[in-house]
Amino acid sequence: QKEVEQDPGPLSVPEGAIVSLNCTYSNSAFQYFMWYRQYSRKGPELLMYTYSSGNKEDGRFTAQVDKSSKYISLFIRDSQPSDSATYLCAMSGMEYGNKLVFGAGTILRVKS
Amino acid sequence: EADIYQTPRYLVIGTGKKITLECSQTMGHDKMYWYQQDPGMELHLIHYSYGVNSTEKGDLSSESTVSRIRTEHFPLTLESARPSHTSQYLCASSPHMSSTNTLQETQYFGPGTRLLVL
């Protein structure tokens, strides 16, 4: 069983829709949770970072962590065609020497 | 945008050739990493370094080697390329943070090198 599970998609939505991207994980030792966005033929770039449980908002993006359910989410409001990319969740913790464990990524397509 | 560079961006090479993938960062970061990424799969850590003269193998077994002679430079070498090495290779770096509640594992990625071994 993978440590981090992420639905690969592709997820196709119309412009303006609210998008929900999710990851589940198995190890309760994870403390730091991140979302990366990766455009085609580019390296991943950090979108959101959260420590432990709770919500964090940045513009149209909201990251949510529920440690009791071992579940994290990224919400994108008013999605735009420029949001079309692969979204990778990643997590880390002291037990991992702060190395990152990644999900496989969800491909998102926002249609104009 | 992160100042981390990888060359070449694309490489097609024959089996048995020796290749070196270059990675440089101008941010003065102590930590550097090499990942392998295949379509639809997780990024797998193959090597990392916590500073000059420090190199460690990652979670994914790899026939590559790395060196860290300078802070800014972290090249990856394949002594004898094989078709199974065909993949995308991503380099990343992160700063050293001492506080436990700060962004201590923000990794900044380069654009990647796409390698095809024939």
Side-chain angles (χ1 to χ4, degrees):
Chain A
Q1 184 186 1
K2 294 180 182 178
E3 286 189 280
V4 179
E5 297 277 0
Q6 185 175 6
D7 187 337
L11 182 62
S12 186
V13 301
E15 183 175 355
I18 296 173
V19 175
S20 172
L21 304 167
N22 311 294
C23 286
T24 59
Y25 61 95
S26 55
N27 193 336
S28 57
F30 288 127
Q31 299 170 286
Y32 310 101
F33 303 91
M34 285 142 273
W35 286 94
Y36 283 82
R37 177 175 61 196
Q38 185 176 21
Y39 290 116
S40 180
R41 305 194 184 285
K42 301 277 189 181
E45 57 177 328
L46 181 71
L47 261 185
M48 299 286 286
Y49 166 94
T50 49
Y51 171 68
S52 197
S53 284
N55 291 0
K56 185 174 183 178
E57 189 173 319
D58 183 3
R60 296 185 295 111
F61 298 90
T62 299
Q64 196 171 75
V65 174
D66 182 349
K67 291 193 75 178
S68 63
S69 302
K70 298 190 181 69
Y71 188 86
I72 69 170
S73 300
L74 177 72
F75 298 97
I76 307 175
R77 289 185 300 282
D78 187 26
S79 56
Q80 303 295 310
S82 58
D83 295 328
S84 298
T86 298
Y87 290 80
L88 305 160
C89 65
M91 38 199 88
S92 182
M94 299 294 282
E95 182 178 304
Y96 291 83
N98 294 323
K99 296 194 290 290
L100 296 181
V101 179
F102 284 86
T106 299
I107 298 170
L108 172 66
R109 294 179 186 143
V110 181
K111 300 172 291 185
S112 58
Chain B
E1 192 166 316
D3 296 325
I4 181 164
Y5 309 98
Q6 290 186 245
T7 57
R9 292 293 313 278
Y10 304 93
L11 181 61
V12 181
I13 201 160
T15 296
K17 299 292 186 184
K18 177 180 178 179
I19 58 170
T20 296
L21 308 184
E22 302 287 350
C23 177
S24 295
Q25 50 96 4
T26 59
M27 298 171 283
H29 288 169
D30 290 324
K31 302 179 186 179
M32 296 189 74
Y33 312 82
W34 275 103
Y35 291 89
Q36 191 170 331
Q37 184 182 34
D38 295 307
M41 302 292 289
E42 303 86 349
L43 271 71
H44 288 290
L45 182 66
I46 50 177
H47 294 283
Y48 61 100
S49 166
Y50 284 165
V52 171
N53 295 324
S54 151
T55 61
E56 303 286 345
K57 287 188 180 294
D59 305 317
L60 182 67
S61 174
S62 173
E63 293 158 346
S64 56
T65 59
V66 291
S67 63
R68 189 88 183 276
I69 298 171
R70 302 197 317 264
T71 298
E72 63 271 20
H73 195 214
F74 191 40
L76 181 145
T77 298
L78 277 166
E79 291 291 335
S80 179
R82 293 208 303 267
S84 60
H85 295 137
T86 294
S87 187
Q88 171 157 262
Y89 292 84
L90 289 165
C91 180
S93 70
S94 66
H96 174 73
M97 295 283 193
S98 56
S99 172
T100 57
N101 197 21
T102 57
L103 202 60
Q104 67 175 333
E105 271 308 317
T106 301
Q107 292 188 16
Y108 297 90
F109 284 84
T113 294
R114 287 183 179 269
L115 174 65
L116 172 61
V117 184
L118 302 174

